[in-house]
Amino acid sequence: MKLSCFLPVAFCALISTALAAPEPPVRLWPDAAPGALGTAEKDIPTLTPYPATGTNISGAAMVILPGGGYAGLADYEGAGYAAWLVTNGIACFVLKYRLGSDGYRHPRMLEDAARAVRLVRSRAAEWKIDPKRVGIIGSSAGGHLASTLVTHFDSGKADASDPIERESSRPDLGILCYAVITMGPNSHYGSKRQLLGDNPSPELVADLSNELQVRKDTPPCFVWHTWEDNVVKVENALQFALALQKAGVPYDLHVYQKGAHGIAVLNPHPWTNDCIYWLRAQKFVK
């Protein structure tokens, strides 16, 4: 479900003034994506580049995964985040990934996210970004997809005929915004069903419960949630942060009292300032 029609006028103005015109969307695969169910727009994952603006361009890049319960893509968690990040010097790439509501199930969404990171790295010179500073940010179900990639990446296939597939899919950092993390008891049922179907095996549930999949080479993460969130339980963030702690992975964890689910950057909230502070420490922001 597209949510752009519900955006406040002031926020629409922010996007139009803060963003340079995006470049045309880029298909992740020149031909059909793996497991494509057809040739319609919904079957073609794409990446839309938003160049960084201003005098503080850092050379870092961020792949953005909008939320929407694996049933839709929320514009304000896509172009909205780009409007915020490009003014802080980070080039942004908004991913249109395949959805459960269109008949797709895991691993198609993960394939799209991994390919997006590989694609950005493969075109680093063209897009004037540092291939060693490519992060990922996701919200809600998009946060689940981001947490899946930071725990299920690979180093690429050195002998692949496709040069994009030779690139690593490991993000250099992850930002998880009120994210679905687990497929266990604290999961968001709608996201779980769209991703895994009605009767997933226990093994699949465990594999996509990303608090169980953190490893020592998981990249540093900024994890935030709110106590007021009545859609995705805050336990998702707490469990993931604990897993990062046990694995020795650097992270920032912020649990704010105030803020409804889906707040993104629609209203003033301290998370954006806290995140920029953290991104500066990771050398993504000047």
Side-chain angles (χ1 to χ4, degrees):
M1 179 177 64
K2 294 285 188 179
L3 299 181
S4 56
C5 57
F6 299 107
L7 295 182
V9 172
F11 183 70
C12 294
L14 168 65
I15 292 179
S16 63
T17 56
L19 279 175
E23 297 178 10
V26 178
R27 292 176 64 137
L28 296 188
W29 286 271
D31 300 314
L37 300 176
T39 58
E41 183 181 353
K42 62 185 175 63
D43 302 303
I44 304 172
T46 62
L47 199 62
T48 300
Y50 291 84
T53 60
T55 60
N56 62 340
I57 295 174
S58 68
M62 196 73 70
V63 175
I64 302 175
L65 310 179
Y70 284 120
L73 298 172
D75 291 345
Y76 66 87
E77 292 169 346
Y81 283 159
W84 163 54
L85 289 168
V86 297
T87 58
N88 283 283
I90 300 175
C92 291
F93 301 85
V94 177
L95 177 63
K96 177 171 74 73
Y97 54 90
R98 288 171 286 176
L99 298 169
S101 55
D102 294 323
Y104 291 99
R105 299 289 183 262
H106 174 77
R108 301 311 172 201
M109 298 77 159
L110 177 57
E111 289 171 343
D112 294 349
R115 179 75 175 189
V117 171
R118 297 189 213 276
L119 179 60
V120 170
R121 286 204 169 103
S122 74
R123 296 177 63 171
E126 174 187 347
W127 283 326
K128 299 179 180 178
I129 59 100
D130 181 354
K132 296 182 179 180
R133 286 186 293 152
V134 178
I136 196 163
I137 181 172
S139 301
S140 197
H144 181 266
L145 184 53
S147 72
T148 305
L149 187 56
V150 300
T151 55
H152 293 72
F153 56 84
D154 64 64
S155 59
K157 299 177 182 177
D159 59 349
S161 58
D162 180 354
I164 296 174
E165 290 299 314
R166 299 173 199 162
E167 301 287 347
S168 169
S169 65
R170 179 186 184 272
D172 294 299
L173 58 78
I175 302 173
L176 308 180
C177 310
Y178 43 89
V180 180
I181 300 291
T182 187
M183 294 287 105
N186 288 318
S187 189
H188 177 255
Y189 174 76
S191 298
K192 179 178 179 179
R193 181 175 177 274
Q194 293 289 0
L195 179 68
L196 302 182
D198 290 323
N199 296 294
S201 69
E203 293 78 15
L204 187 58
V205 168
D207 188 45
L208 274 297
S209 292
N210 295 319
E211 78 282 7
L212 304 178
Q213 306 304 328
V214 173
R215 56 204 209 196
K216 63 182 180 180
D217 57 350
T218 292
C221 291
F222 183 94
V223 182
W224 75 275
H225 217 106
T226 68
W227 178 83
E228 286 187 337
D229 192 329
N230 62 2
V231 177
V232 174
K233 294 179 179 180
V234 71
E235 284 85 350
N236 284 262
L238 298 176
Q239 291 175 334
F240 194 71
L242 180 59
L244 294 169
Q245 178 71 25
K246 288 182 176 179
V249 176
Y251 66 94
D252 256 25
L253 170 65
H254 297 262
V255 178
Y256 305 96
Q257 179 181 350
K258 297 295 183 180
H261 185 80
I263 190 173
V265 291
L266 295 179
N267 297 295
H269 194 281
W271 87 266
T272 52
N273 289 333
D274 291 338
C275 189
I276 292 299
Y277 178 86
W278 182 78
L279 285 168
R280 186 169 288 113
Q282 313 310 309
K283 303 188 184 307
F284 267 57
V285 172
K286 286 186 176 180

